[in-house]
């Protein structure tokens, strides 16, 4: 009977671990270990965009690739809107000026997860509005399956990124 109860409690741990498929790599510059979701393609915008989430011992990065012709600088911003609320979180682009369509949001990887990052793992994102260097807005309204995929992958990455802090 005890072994049956143990089995019932342990099986869900393995089931959730199977959804967590991250690429384990070494940073080409620092040779430190890092985790990546790989580029996930989304079609919730007039064009297609990709999102790659990367974590190392110091940072968790969300890299949006919007395609050439979209220019972002350090004044560009992203407004994140969550399901079921009217609150927004505004994040700044963390990279230098580029017209390659790359927008990066960076969070510190620490033992306590930054509040916005924590909220992104607990609540689905409804939309992301990127503002480029010319104040042009790019509205990204996520589909239900994309919301779920983003939340699951980010939750997995944030959880596994804690292990990198101690290495």
């Amino acid at each position: 009977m005890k072994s049956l109860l143990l089995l019932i409690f342990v099986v869900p741990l393995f089931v959730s671990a199977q959804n967590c498929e991250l690429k384990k790599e070494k940073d080409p510059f620092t040779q430190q270990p890092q985790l990546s979701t790989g580029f996930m393609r989304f079609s919730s915008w007039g064009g297609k965009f990709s999102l790659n989430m990367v974590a190392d011992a110091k940072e968790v990065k969300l890299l949006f690739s919007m395609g050439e012709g979209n220019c972002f600088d350090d004044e560009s911003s992203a407004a994140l809107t969550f399901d079921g609320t009217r609150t927004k979180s505004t994040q700044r682009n963390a990279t230098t000026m580029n017209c390659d369509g790359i927008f990066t949001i960076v969070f510190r990887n620490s033992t306590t997860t930054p509040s916005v990052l924590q909220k992104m793992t607990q609540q689905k994102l409804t939309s992301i509005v990127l503002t480029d260097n010319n104040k042009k807005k790019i509205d990204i309204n996520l589909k239900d399956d994309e919301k779920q995929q983003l939340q699951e992958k980010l939750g997995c990455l944030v959880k596994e990124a804690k292990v990198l802090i101690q290495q």
Side-chain angles (χ1 to χ4, degrees):
M1 183 67 169
K2 288 181 184 179
S3 60
L4 180 63
L5 285 174
L6 179 65
L7 183 64
I8 290 171
F9 288 113
V10 172
V11 168
L13 296 175
F14 292 110
V15 171
S16 66
Q18 291 173 352
N19 293 336
C20 193
E21 295 179 20
L22 298 174
K23 296 176 183 176
K24 295 177 180 168
E25 307 167 338
K26 283 198 176 197
D27 185 286
F29 301 108
T30 65
Q31 297 303 310
Q32 296 298 314
Q34 68 179 19
L35 300 170
S36 170
T37 61
F39 277 98
M40 300 179 294
R41 301 208 185 285
F42 296 98
S43 60
S44 296
W45 168 54
K48 293 184 180 184
F49 77 97
S50 299
L51 173 63
N52 185 19
M53 297 181 282
V54 179
D56 59 27
K58 296 179 183 178
E59 300 172 330
V60 175
K61 299 177 192 171
L62 280 66
L63 299 123
F64 294 86
S65 177
M66 305 304 292
E68 288 187 35
N70 294 300
C71 298
F72 299 104
D73 60 15
D74 59 351
E75 293 295 316
S76 299
S77 64
L80 310 173
T81 307
F82 297 91
D83 253 359
T85 90
R86 295 174 68 180
T87 59
K88 290 183 182 180
S89 173
T90 303
Q91 303 295 314
R92 291 263 179 225
N93 182 24
T95 57
T96 58
M97 170 70 177
N98 74 78
C99 286
D100 298 326
I102 305 295
F103 187 98
T104 306
I105 300 174
V106 177
F107 298 98
R108 187 160 191 242
N109 187 13
S110 61
T111 53
T112 56
T113 306
S115 60
V116 174
L117 192 56
Q118 184 69 31
K119 188 170 186 171
M120 290 172 70
T121 64
Q122 295 172 344
Q123 246 181 314
K124 293 177 183 164
L125 274 174
T126 302
S127 67
I128 304 164
V129 179
L130 300 176
T131 305
D132 69 10
N133 65 336
N134 293 322
K135 306 298 181 216
K136 180 180 130 199
K137 296 189 183 302
I138 300 170
D139 291 319
I140 302 167
N141 295 308
L142 298 170
K143 297 175 186 171
D144 288 338
D145 60 328
E146 294 172 340
K147 292 177 191 180
Q148 185 68 31
Q149 180 187 15
L150 177 60
Q151 184 182 24
E152 287 175 2
K153 289 280 190 176
L154 187 58
C156 179
L157 184 71
V158 168
K159 181 179 141 195
E160 296 295 321
K162 303 288 182 220
V163 175
L164 297 175
I165 297 171
Q166 298 150 357
Q167 291 183 352

